[in-house]
Amino acid sequence: MKRLFSFLRPAIVFPLPLGITADKIANRGLEGLMQNVNKYAITMSSVASAGTAITLTAPQMVNGVIQVNTGASGGFTITTPTASGIVAELGATIPLDGTFQKQIDIVNNNAGQTGTLTAGTGVTLVGTLTIATDTKRSFVMRVMNSAAVSFTNIGSLSL
């Protein structure tokens, strides 16, 4: 049962056996696919917004859904991790030529104030960056190279 549970754990589409590391030079296609498919899986990170500033970690950012909870004391900022941190979290097998993209949703779950997305080092933000309370804003995260990531607003949804 423990083995079955381990195989079916959330956010892992195809478990990569321990000790295996994908190697670009050797063209280990299956191992690279296994690692990339897991990065495409979407999970949710919940972040408290007490105060006026939130700094996201790279694992929170690549999960796909960030839910901002609790009451902020005023308008708050949500700062992305550095581009190099995001790229490192995504793993060695993602392409670094602008073709790797992933949707990232930030949900202001009744935090009581409007949040504004701000850029970490090497990150470019495009479009509307404010996230009103009870609103979800969607972005496309695009890896440009090992030190540059862009986030482009693709819309919002009132909750």
Side-chain angles (χ1 to χ4, degrees), residues 85-151:
I86 293 169
V87 171
E89 181 63 27
L90 289 169
T93 60
I94 63 158
L96 300 175
D97 60 359
T99 60
F100 182 87
Q101 299 179 28
K102 181 174 181 174
Q103 182 172 328
I104 305 294
D105 295 322
I106 301 177
V107 180
N108 184 338
N109 189 29
N110 198 25
Q113 301 289 332
T114 297
T116 303
L117 189 64
T118 60
T121 303
V123 174
T124 303
L125 302 174
V126 179
T128 303
L129 305 174
T130 57
I131 306 155
T133 193
D134 294 328
T135 301
K136 174 190 80 142
R137 188 160 298 280
S138 298
F139 298 89
V140 171
M141 176 182 72
R142 184 172 167 199
V143 177
M144 307 307 285
N145 58 53
S146 62
V149 174
S150 72
F151 288 84

Side-chain angles (χ1 to χ4, degrees), residues 1-49:
M1 184 68 166
K2 185 176 181 181
R3 190 172 226 187
L4 178 63
F5 178 75
S6 172
F7 183 78
L8 297 174
R9 68 185 177 267
I12 300 295
V13 176
F14 193 70
L16 187 64
L18 295 176
I20 291 181
T21 304
D23 182 2
K24 285 189 203 177
I25 296 170
N27 280 333
R28 293 186 168 151
L30 177 60
E31 293 163 3
L33 173 68
M34 292 163 59
Q35 196 172 44
N36 281 350
V37 167
N38 291 337
K39 292 302 177 186
Y40 282 116
I42 295 175
T43 58
M44 183 171 65
S45 296
S46 290
V47 181
S49 66

